[in-house]
């Protein structure tokens, strides 16, 4: 006969085994290191009719031990608990790493900047809360051979991130927040419906309101988006949209009372991505439109409130291909963005052109030493036309800190013209 003490031990062991079967926690990550070189070229422009002595072309360059050129260097923890009845609770904590220095990716600190979510899933789909990726970013990343990493980064994503950084709202975690990732979000993911998949997302602005102050709370920081796709066999296609409130401000006078003046700005992104695997190669592409939409309202004598709208457009796309060769993979992509500047009420038939464009050609090769370890090399070249018209946003760089020289505020001076770079590296995932 088994003693009561032995029965208790066996029961405890059985409970522990049952608990272990019901839940799991995984440690995962990657280290990706590369020797990378970046260069940029700025040349003279003159948007006036005056004769000006041209300035010399300026070149800048940098060689560095970089990271995350093909795979994000990161450390993460994820876990799932089976709640029964088809329900599961999950968490995901993922921190970016600068493995060239051993520091974290946010100001040198280790922070779960890449993703920090808790979720509940079941037959209804998944409800996810926290810091997460935006629906539109997935098309930039998944339908590009180089994703949004290294010198081969999809230039559509580069321009979109530059725009979000320049306009806001930004955050203490990342200046480009609301383009790639967003804080304070609630996300819903469709359950498996044949080949269809989808995502809805709402991110709170979390600004405080004041009942005696019209126009509050400001909606700056709010983000709304969604993505719907279909994947079956070799085909994968997805359409996504997002609206980020970059600014929403009410002007106050010296007595802290509203003057009636108000400024609102939205960054609206619409993109379509697709890929098809032919077996011997995979073809992929993306079409994107980003609109920078603003409305300025001011009181005008005898006219009441006058609203001035403005809508700048960034039209872009990508064509790419990957070709498996033995244990290796050849990658190539051409991506581009055209900036259409809305001059608003200042436009006349004689207004000078204020548009700009940027294009990138990238080539790469990966050699898989194992399922987790690979050697790689990537080269890329960028060409910019009329970069003086929007240098902060259209001045996409290959990487690093070899930034363009930009002077003259669009009149005459130096403007971004071209850039190039390469990554030669090693990555390991675990």
């Amino acid at each position: 006969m088994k003693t009561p003490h032995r029965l208790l031990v066996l029961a405890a062991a059985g409970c522990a085994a049952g608990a272990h079967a019901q839940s799991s926690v995984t440690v995962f990550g990657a280290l990706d290191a590369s020797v990378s070189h970046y260069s940029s070229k700025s040349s003279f422009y003159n948007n006036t009719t005056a004769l000006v002595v041209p300035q010399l072309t300026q070149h800048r360059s940098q060689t560095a031990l970089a990271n995350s050129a093909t795979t994000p260097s990161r450390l993460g923890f994820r876990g799932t608990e089976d709640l029964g009845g088809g329900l599961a609770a999950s968490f995901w904590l993922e921190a970016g790493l600068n493995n060239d220095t051993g520091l974290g990716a946010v100001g040198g600190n280790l922070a779960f900047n890449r993703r920090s979510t808790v979720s509940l899933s079941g037959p209804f789909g998944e409800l996810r809360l926290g810091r997460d990726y935006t629906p539109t970013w997935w098309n930039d990343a998944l339908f590009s051979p180089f994703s949004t990493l290294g010198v081969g980064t999809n230039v559509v994503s580069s321009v979109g991130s530059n725009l979000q950084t320049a306009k806001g709202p930004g955050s203490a975690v990342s200046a480009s927040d609301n383009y790639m990732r967003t804080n304070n979000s609630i996300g819903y993911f469709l359950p498996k419906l044949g080949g269809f998949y989808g995502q809805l997302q709402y991110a709170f602005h979390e600004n405080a309101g004041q009942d005696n102050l019209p126009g509050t709370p400001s909606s700056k920081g709010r983000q709304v988006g969604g993505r719907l796709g279909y994947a079956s066999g070799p085909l994968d296609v997805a359409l996504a949209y997002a609206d980020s409130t970059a600014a929403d401000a009410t002007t106050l006078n010296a007595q802290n009372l509203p003057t009636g003046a108000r400024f609102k700005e939205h960054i609206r992104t619409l993109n379509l991505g697709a890929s098809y695997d032919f077996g011997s190669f995979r073809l992929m592409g993306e079409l994107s439109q980003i609109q920078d939409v603003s409305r300025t309202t001011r009181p005008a004598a005898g006219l009441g409130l006058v609203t001035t709208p403005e809508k700048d457009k960034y039209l872009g796309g990508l064509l790419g291909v990957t070709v498996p060769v033995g244990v290796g993979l050849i990658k190539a992509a051409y991506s581009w963005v055209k900036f259409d500047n809305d001059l608003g009420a200042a436009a006349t038939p004689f207004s000078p052109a204020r548009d700009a464009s940027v294009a990138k050609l990238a080539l790469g090769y990966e050699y898989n030493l194992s399922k987790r370890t690979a050697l790689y090399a990537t080269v890329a070249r960028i060409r910019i036309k009329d970069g003086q018209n929007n240098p902060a946003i259209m001045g996409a760089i290959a990487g690093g800190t070899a930034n363009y020289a930009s002077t003259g505020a669009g009149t005459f001076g130096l403007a971004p013209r071209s850039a190039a770079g390469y990554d030669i590296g090693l990555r390991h995932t675990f």
Side-chain angles (χ1 to χ4, degrees):
M1 178 180 292
K2 297 177 180 177
T3 64
H5 174 71
R6 187 179 180 188
L7 289 174
L8 287 173
V9 172
L10 290 173
C15 290
H20 179 74
Q22 298 272 335
S23 62
S24 64
V25 176
T26 301
V27 180
F28 67 96
L31 293 176
D32 183 323
S34 64
V35 175
S36 299
H37 180 80
Y38 318 107
S39 65
S40 67
K41 174 183 174 182
S42 301
S43 61
F44 178 74
Y45 72 95
N46 184 4
N47 271 351
T48 73
T49 57
L51 294 177
V52 181
V53 178
Q55 300 178 36
L56 294 177
T57 297
Q58 186 174 125
H59 294 85
R60 295 178 178 177
S61 63
Q62 178 190 23
T63 302
L65 181 64
N67 66 85
S68 305
T70 62
T71 298
S73 291
R74 62 196 188 274
L75 175 65
F77 307 88
R78 59 177 179 257
T80 301
E81 180 186 14
D82 187 348
L83 302 175
L87 296 178
S90 305
F91 76 91
W92 190 300
L93 295 170
E94 186 175 335
L97 297 175
N98 293 325
N99 50 272
D100 52 334
T101 61
L103 300 176
V106 182
N109 300 314
L110 186 67
F112 296 110
N113 60 305
R114 293 185 53 78
R115 179 175 161 185
S116 175
T117 61
V118 62
S119 61
L120 184 67
S121 59
F124 58 86
E126 180 186 359
L127 185 65
R128 187 184 297 178
L129 296 87
R131 177 174 173 81
D132 204 0
Y133 295 93
T134 65
T136 47
W137 176 82
W138 283 113
N139 285 351
D140 285 352
L142 296 181
F143 299 111
S144 165
F146 301 94
S147 187
T148 58
L149 299 165
V151 297
T153 293
N154 182 350
V155 79
V156 173
S157 178
S158 298
V159 170
S161 294
N162 288 347
L163 176 63
Q164 198 74 63
T165 299
K167 300 295 186 174
S171 78
V173 182
S174 173
S176 65
D177 270 356
N178 277 21
Y179 187 80
M180 180 184 292
R181 300 179 182 89
T182 189
N183 293 328
N184 315 313
S185 73
I186 296 178
Y188 169 70
F189 295 79
L190 290 174
K192 292 183 179 179
L193 299 171
F196 290 97
Y197 58 88
Q199 172 189 3
L200 293 173
Q201 185 182 70
Y202 179 86
F204 293 92
H205 57 71
E206 296 193 347
N207 300 314
Q210 185 173 326
D211 58 6
N212 65 339
L213 184 61
T216 65
S218 167
S219 60
K220 177 181 179 179
R222 182 173 60 193
Q223 195 266 359
V224 181
R227 182 170 182 254
L228 181 63
Y230 177 80
S232 180
L235 175 66
D236 189 359
V237 59
L239 178 69
Y241 176 79
D243 184 325
S244 168
T245 305
D248 181 14
T250 299
T251 303
L252 304 178
N253 60 18
Q255 289 73 43
N256 206 36
L257 297 174
T259 65
R262 188 175 178 86
F263 178 72
K264 300 193 72 172
E265 186 168 18
H266 290 255
I267 308 298
R268 293 169 179 159
T269 304
L270 176 68
N271 57 30
L272 174 68
S275 67
Y276 195 92
D277 192 340
F278 290 90
S280 57
F281 66 94
R282 183 180 179 217
L283 188 65
M284 59 189 71
E286 179 189 13
L287 293 175
S288 171
Q289 176 181 269
I290 304 176
Q291 294 184 344
D292 178 8
V293 182
S294 63
R295 297 175 65 87
T296 304
T297 302
R298 297 185 179 92
L303 298 176
L305 295 177
V306 176
T307 299
T308 304
E310 185 175 350
K311 182 188 293 184
D312 293 337
K313 296 180 181 179
Y314 299 81
L315 305 174
L318 175 142
L319 288 174
V321 64
T322 59
V323 183
V325 181
V327 295
L329 184 69
I330 297 173
K331 303 188 292 185
Y334 179 76
S335 54
W336 69 94
V337 175
K338 183 182 182 301
F339 168 57
D340 183 7
N341 190 353
D342 181 4
L343 297 178
T348 72
F350 306 101
S351 298
R354 288 292 184 264
D355 301 338
S357 62
V358 58
K360 174 188 282 189
L361 177 64
L363 302 171
Y365 178 71
E366 295 181 9
Y367 184 83
N368 294 301
L369 300 173
S370 70
K371 289 184 177 180
R372 295 188 174 189
T373 306
L375 297 169
Y376 62 84
T378 306
V379 295
R381 182 162 182 80
I382 298 170
R383 296 289 294 176
I384 301 171
K385 182 180 179 182
D386 295 325
Q388 70 275 4
N389 292 334
N390 197 353
I393 296 168
M394 297 300 289
I397 60 174
T401 57
N403 297 324
Y404 304 98
S406 178
T407 62
T411 56
F412 63 87
L414 292 175
R417 284 295 179 265
S418 63
Y422 65 75
D423 299 315
I424 301 174
L426 168 68
R427 74 158 184 263
H428 176 76
T429 61
F430 58 90

